[in-house]
Amino acid sequence: MTDKSQQFASDNYSGICPEAWAAMEKANLGHDRAYGDDQWTERASEYFRKLFETDCEVFFAFNGTAANSLALASLCQSYHSVICSETAHVETDECGAPEFFSNGSKLLTAGSVNGKLTPESIREVALKRQDIHYPKPRVVTITQATEVGTVYRPDELKAISATCKELGLNLHMDGARFTNACAFLGCSPAELTWKAGVDVLCFGGTKNGMAVGEAILFFNRQLAEDFDYRCKQAGQLASKMRFLSAPWVGLLEDGAWLRHGGHANQCAQLLASLVADLPGVELMFPVEANGVFLQMPEPAIEALRAKGWRFYTFIGSGGARFMCSWDTEQERVRELAADIRSIIGA
């Protein structure tokens, strides 16, 4: 097995999809204006407004950590706090970046059910203390799809949004795998964001076939005041911005973003179906996006690694995460499932 073999550790392992690559090639012809004042950035922004059916403010960043952290920082003062799930990426995997860029806004973790916050868990944290010695809750951030591969339904989002409005909180969505959620539910992007009460979305491109690049969409335009300055200060204003925005044109103009998300989801469903009957192997969470979380005996996990498979086990003892990508081949999924079956002995 070579390093070029498809693996399941992360959807970041995949390469650049043809649509994004072709758009970058076109953007590479000749000269164009710098710092976002180019035709590609304008086109991508308009595609987003058309896709989301609203006149949102659109910004581009190099990666998800910057997109999430800067978006949250724009919603907070340093004495505020952000309510998130205990499994949220901003809590566990961004090296304190949200606190850094907000000059100290504290993350407050709330309980979740299958990775999803609930109105009750948000209310419990937001109302825990209201004295001046405690960081004042200001924002709720949710992940779509969640870190354990589950997906918020529109009614769940509306219930969370209603709670946020009741408590005077803004609602941010980390959409690193937003495309997978849309593909799974068959809902429009608008239905899963501003129509359900989301104020700001960080739309992930990297995990959906781009080399780099995330989009930050402010549906509440007032919250975007001076956000361009925040991006510049944080080193997120690309001088050749067209190479961040052009791939989005390639993904959005003919629906490739949704096709790729749907394909990754289908591969995850295939893997889950091929191992569902194995003794000693259990699904830890519903398979709703492009990730499969399997509870397996530790010897089986080690044996699978010995066969050359790469995957993460950061979710607890006996838990293995397998991520499918826009380019995952179904035959490769079947190879993985066959190895799991042979190791388990079924």
Side-chain angles (χ1 to χ4, degrees), residues 143-205:
T143 312
Q144 180 77 309
T146 72
E147 288 77 10
V148 298
T150 52
V151 171
Y152 286 94
R153 275 60 171 175
D155 60 335
E156 293 175 309
L157 295 173
K158 289 176 182 177
I160 288 174
S161 172
T163 301
C164 289
K165 287 182 171 59
E166 171 195 334
L167 300 173
L169 309 173
N170 290 313
L171 181 56
H172 164 265
M173 177 179 284
D174 174 352
R177 298 183 177 93
F178 182 72
T179 58
N180 304 95
C182 290
F184 175 74
L185 293 175
C187 294
S188 72
E191 290 172 318
L192 291 182
T193 52
W194 64 272
K195 287 186 177 181
V198 174
D199 295 301
V200 185
L201 166 71
C202 293
F203 194 141

Side-chain angles (χ1 to χ4, degrees), residues 271-330:
L271 176 59
S273 69
L274 291 173
V275 299
D277 63 330
L278 291 179
V281 176
E282 296 181 10
L283 284 174
M284 299 176 68
F285 306 100
V287 180
E288 297 180 345
N290 62 323
V292 180
F293 293 76
L294 297 178
Q295 191 82 36
M296 301 170 62
E298 193 63 33
I301 288 176
E302 292 307 314
L304 201 58
R305 285 201 170 116
K307 284 180 172 287
W309 294 103
R310 298 180 183 178
F311 51 93
Y312 285 123
T313 54
F314 54 78
I315 50 176
S317 176
R321 187 193 79 164
F322 301 90
M323 297 302 300
C324 298
S325 307
W326 70 269
D327 63 345
T328 297
E329 298 171 0
Q330 291 195 359

Side-chain angles (χ1 to χ4, degrees), residues 44 74 91 194 264 314 341:
S74 72
E91 164 68 10
W194 64 272
F314 54 78
R341 296 191 76 88

Side-chain angles (χ1 to χ4, degrees), residues 1 141 194:
M1 183 178 295
T141 180
W194 64 272

Side-chain angles (χ1 to χ4, degrees), residues 3-332:
D3 287 339
K4 292 184 180 180
S5 298
Q6 287 189 343
Q7 291 288 349
F8 295 85
S10 173
D11 33 12
N12 289 325
Y13 274 37
S14 64
I16 305 172
C17 68
E19 298 84 358
W21 187 271
M24 289 186 72
E25 274 195 309
K26 292 177 183 177
N28 196 39
L29 299 175
H31 284 210
D32 210 331
R33 295 180 180 181
Y35 300 110
D37 191 24
D38 61 272
Q39 58 171 317
W40 290 96
T41 301
E42 181 180 358
R43 285 177 64 190
S45 298
E46 287 305 314
Y47 273 124
F48 274 118
R49 293 176 184 122
K50 181 178 179 180
L51 181 66
F52 283 85
E53 308 169 45
T54 189
D55 187 25
C56 53
E57 289 276 11
V58 182
F59 301 88
F60 300 94
F62 289 102
N63 56 45
T65 295
N68 285 325
S69 301
L70 294 175
L72 291 173
S74 72
L75 305 176
C76 292
Q77 296 291 337
S78 59
Y79 50 84
H80 286 144
S81 58
V82 177
I83 298 173
C84 64
S85 164
E86 73 276 8
T87 60
H89 199 270
V90 293
E91 164 68 10
T92 63
D93 289 284
E94 290 182 347
C95 197
E99 295 95 329
F100 175 81
F101 282 108
S102 64
N103 291 316
S105 297
K106 186 175 178 60
L107 297 180
L108 301 177
T109 58
S112 59
V113 179
N114 283 336
K116 294 190 282 188
L117 291 179
T118 65
E120 293 74 24
S121 65
I122 292 169
R123 189 175 286 108
E124 180 181 358
V125 173
L127 300 178
K128 180 179 180 180
R129 284 177 60 180
Q130 295 177 288
D131 58 274
I132 201 168
H133 303 286
Y134 196 69
K136 184 178 182 181
R138 184 63 175 171
V139 183
V140 170
T141 180
I142 56 178
T143 312
Q144 180 77 309
T146 72
E147 288 77 10
V148 298
T150 52
V151 171
Y152 286 94
R153 275 60 171 175
D155 60 335
E156 293 175 309
L157 295 173
K158 289 176 182 177
I160 288 174
S161 172
T163 301
C164 289
K165 287 182 171 59
E166 171 195 334
L167 300 173
L169 309 173
N170 290 313
L171 181 56
H172 164 265
M173 177 179 284
D174 174 352
R177 298 183 177 93
F178 182 72
T179 58
N180 304 95
C182 290
F184 175 74
L185 293 175
C187 294
S188 72
E191 290 172 318
L192 291 182
T193 52
W194 64 272
K195 287 186 177 181
V198 174
D199 295 301
V200 185
L201 166 71
C202 293
F203 194 141
T206 308
K207 291 178 172 62
N208 197 35
M210 287 171 52
V212 293
E214 317 290 300
I216 305 105
L217 280 59
F218 285 83
F219 304 110
N220 183 340
R221 294 173 66 95
Q222 292 181 337
L223 298 176
E225 183 177 359
D226 292 337
F227 192 74
D228 48 350
Y229 286 87
R230 193 178 292 276
C231 290
K232 170 62 179 177
Q233 188 181 61
Q236 294 297 313
L237 178 62
S239 55
K240 296 183 179 180
M241 183 69 79
R242 66 188 185 275
F243 296 111
L244 284 186
S245 56
W248 281 112
V249 174
L251 283 177
L252 298 179
E253 62 184 350
D254 69 348
W257 68 279
L258 191 59
R259 290 196 301 275
H260 291 327
H263 172 77
N265 289 0
Q266 289 167 9
C267 288
Q269 292 287 345
L270 175 62
L271 176 59
S273 69
L274 291 173
V275 299
D277 63 330
L278 291 179
V281 176
E282 296 181 10
L283 284 174
M284 299 176 68
F285 306 100
V287 180
E288 297 180 345
N290 62 323
V292 180
F293 293 76
L294 297 178
Q295 191 82 36
M296 301 170 62
E298 193 63 33
I301 288 176
E302 292 307 314
L304 201 58
R305 285 201 170 116
K307 284 180 172 287
W309 294 103
R310 298 180 183 178
F311 51 93
Y312 285 123
T313 54
F314 54 78
I315 50 176
S317 176
R321 187 193 79 164
F322 301 90
M323 297 302 300
C324 298
S325 307
W326 70 269
D327 63 345
T328 297
E329 298 171 0
Q330 291 195 359
E331 183 55 36
R332 188 67 172 154

